[in-house]
DNA sequence: TACGCGTGGCG
DNA sequence: TCGCCAAGCGT
């Protein structure tokens, strides 16, 4: 037996656990643009940038964004010197846009600091915008070799299975973090953090975990009990309501379309949008919606609906279109069709553009 | 503590 | 098609 039950708690030997995991990691290490090669010193700027982008976001999605960012802004000082709107435009499509605001702010704080570099320990990192408990620990471990437990969704899942924790998330978060903290080895902290996350992403997956090839099987109570795939348990979530709106696709005679910037707080903060009615629980009639339009024009409904799922509601947008004169005076910015990509349009608004272009004529 | 905050992939 | 889930943070 590799573990013993004591006081209802499984006792895992941390040294053997970490050794086995690191051997697996050395064999299966996946190259990623922000990862240093073995023996190479990591770049804290790239580690930080990747960790912010990877918050609730898959590796495959992040890679092209990360590459564009470091090509355009190779150092934290470069990023600090960029305009916020440039950063928002480069971030467009990645989601959770408050991260882009925090990223820019954090770069400015760090670049203006005494040594122009990132702080080294988790507590100091936590004081920076956009860096919470997970990111602070991950950056400290990966960039600076500190012994810190980076506990993300992957690690929570692995730990819940190893210890067969039946209590549901999010209530059990603190306990999982404590268990994870007890297992962090003294050496190779960065490799250990990345190994545990890689294992969660590729072997100890949410559904159909590959227990037959898992290096942690000797210690995994969830696997032995056959309940690994059911863990971690989660509290039931409230159903997402549907909200409705009408978006106004306004084409000027010279071929430009009206965009406007969303407020600096709330959903899609600071991003550009096709103007629309407020998004509410009931559908809009066109005559009623016209009162919310940026200009008093003659509207025509386009067939079809643009659907987009947000975290806490589903949006259904229909489109109304109209033509405006070149002298139309309105709050917003007129953008030629060919230049829409140069603006910070979130995915839902790209869907609106696509829908309008396919249905308008 | 619980909620607001995007998007894409997968079964 | 749909619900779940992802290298979470801020309030």
């Amino acid at each position: 037996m590799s573990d013993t039950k004591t006081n209802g708690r499984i006792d895992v030997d941390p040294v053997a656990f970490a050794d086995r995991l690191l051997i697996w990691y050395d064999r299966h290490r996946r190259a990623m643009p922000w990862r240093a090669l073995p023996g190479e010193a990591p770049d804290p700027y790239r580690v930080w940038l990747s960790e912010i982008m990877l918050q609730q976001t898959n590796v495959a999605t992040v890679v092209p964004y990360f590459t564009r960012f470091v090509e355009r802004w190779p150092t934290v000082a470069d990023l600090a010197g960029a305009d916020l709107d440039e950063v928002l435009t480069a971030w467009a499509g990645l989601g959770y846009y408050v991260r882009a605001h925090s990223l820019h702010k954090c770069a400015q704080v760090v670049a203006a600091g005494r040594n122009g570099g990132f702080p080294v320990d988790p507590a100091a990192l936590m004081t920076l915008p956009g860096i919470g408990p997970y990111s602070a620990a991950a950056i400290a471990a990966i960039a600076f070799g500190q012994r810190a437990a980076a506990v993300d969704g992957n690690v929570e899942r692995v730990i819940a299975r190893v210890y067969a924790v039946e209590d549901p998330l999010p209530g059990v978060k603190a306990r999982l973090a404590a268990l994870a903290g007890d297992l962090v080895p003294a050496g190779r902290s960065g490799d250990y953090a990345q190994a545990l996350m890689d294992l969660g992403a590729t072997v100890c997956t949410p559904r159909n975990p590959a227990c037959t090839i898992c290096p942690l099987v000797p210690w995994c109570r969830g696997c032995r009990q056959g309940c690994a795939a059911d863990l971690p348990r989660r509290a039931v979530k409230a159903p997402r309501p549907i909200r409705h709106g009408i978006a106004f696709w306004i084409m000027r005679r010279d071929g430009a379309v009206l965009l406007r910037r969303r407020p600096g707080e709330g959903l899609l903060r600071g991003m550009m949008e096709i103007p629309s009615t407020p998004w509410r629980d009931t559908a809009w009639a066109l005559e009623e919606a016209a009162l919310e339009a940026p200009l008093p024009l003659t509207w025509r409904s386009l067939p079809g609906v643009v659907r987009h799922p947000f975290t806490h509601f589903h949006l259904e947008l229909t489109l109304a279109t109209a033509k405006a004169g070149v002298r139309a005076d309105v709050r917003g910015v007129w953008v030629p069709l060919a230049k829409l990509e140069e603006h910070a349009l979130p995915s839902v608004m790209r869907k609106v553009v696509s829908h309008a272009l396919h249905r308008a004529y």
Side-chain angles (χ1 to χ4, degrees), chain A residues 50-58 62 96 99 130-132 134-135:
Chain A
S50 71
E51 288 302 337
I52 303 303
M53 288 185 166
L54 286 163
Q55 289 168 6
Q56 297 287 284
T57 311
N58 293 323
V62 164
Y96 285 133
R99 291 186 296 172
I131 300 182
Y134 161 75
S135 300

Side-chain angles (χ1 to χ4, degrees), chain A residues 102-327:
Chain A
S102 299
L103 188 84
H104 189 236
K105 181 65 185 167
C106 183
Q108 293 184 329
V109 171
V110 169
R114 202 162 279 279
N115 61 3
F118 285 85
V120 167
D121 68 283
L125 284 162
M126 280 261 289
T127 67
L128 293 168
I131 300 182
Y134 161 75
S135 300
I139 296 166
I142 297 169
F144 302 115
Q146 303 256 321
R147 185 175 181 276
V151 184
D152 69 339
N154 286 306
V155 176
E156 285 178 344
R157 183 171 58 255
V158 173
I159 297 299
R161 288 170 176 174
V162 166
Y163 290 100
V165 174
E166 300 272 355
D167 303 310
L169 285 169
V172 78
K173 239 178 201 317
R175 193 173 146 226
L176 293 176
L179 290 168
D182 290 343
L183 292 175
V184 179
R188 295 191 66 184
S189 309
D191 285 346
Y192 177 84
Q194 293 172 92
L196 212 46
M197 291 187 283
D198 275 14
L199 187 84
T202 63
V203 175
C204 195
T205 50
R207 280 171 293 206
N208 306 320
C211 299
T212 54
I213 61 168
C214 181
L216 302 183
V217 150
W219 300 278
C220 188
R221 197 174 169 194
C223 178
R224 191 169 318 125
Q225 296 179 352
C227 62
D230 302 325
L231 301 176
R233 302 195 195 287
R234 292 176 192 277
V236 292
K237 293 170 188 169
R240 285 186 285 188
I242 296 175
R243 292 190 190 161
H244 306 263
I246 293 184
F248 303 105
W249 181 255
I250 308 172
M251 183 73 77
R252 210 166 58 171
R253 290 196 205 290
D254 60 0
V257 171
L258 183 65
L259 300 186
R260 71 183 175 195
R261 191 176 295 280
R262 293 180 60 86
E265 53 189 32
L267 188 69
L268 306 175
R269 66 191 69 178
M271 302 295 285
M272 301 301 288
E273 68 173 356
I274 312 299
S276 80
T277 64
W279 302 343
R280 66 180 193 191
D281 293 335
T282 55
W284 294 77
L286 185 57
E287 309 75 51
E288 178 192 14
L291 301 174
E292 305 277 350
L295 288 168
L297 297 171
T298 304
W299 300 102
R300 183 166 67 86
S301 280
L302 292 184
V305 181
V306 175
R307 292 189 170 81
H308 190 80
F310 286 98
T311 311
H312 51 295
F313 67 93
H314 289 275
L315 180 63
E316 293 190 2
L317 283 179
T318 55
L319 270 60
T321 184
K323 289 184 168 35
V326 285
R327 305 190 54 168

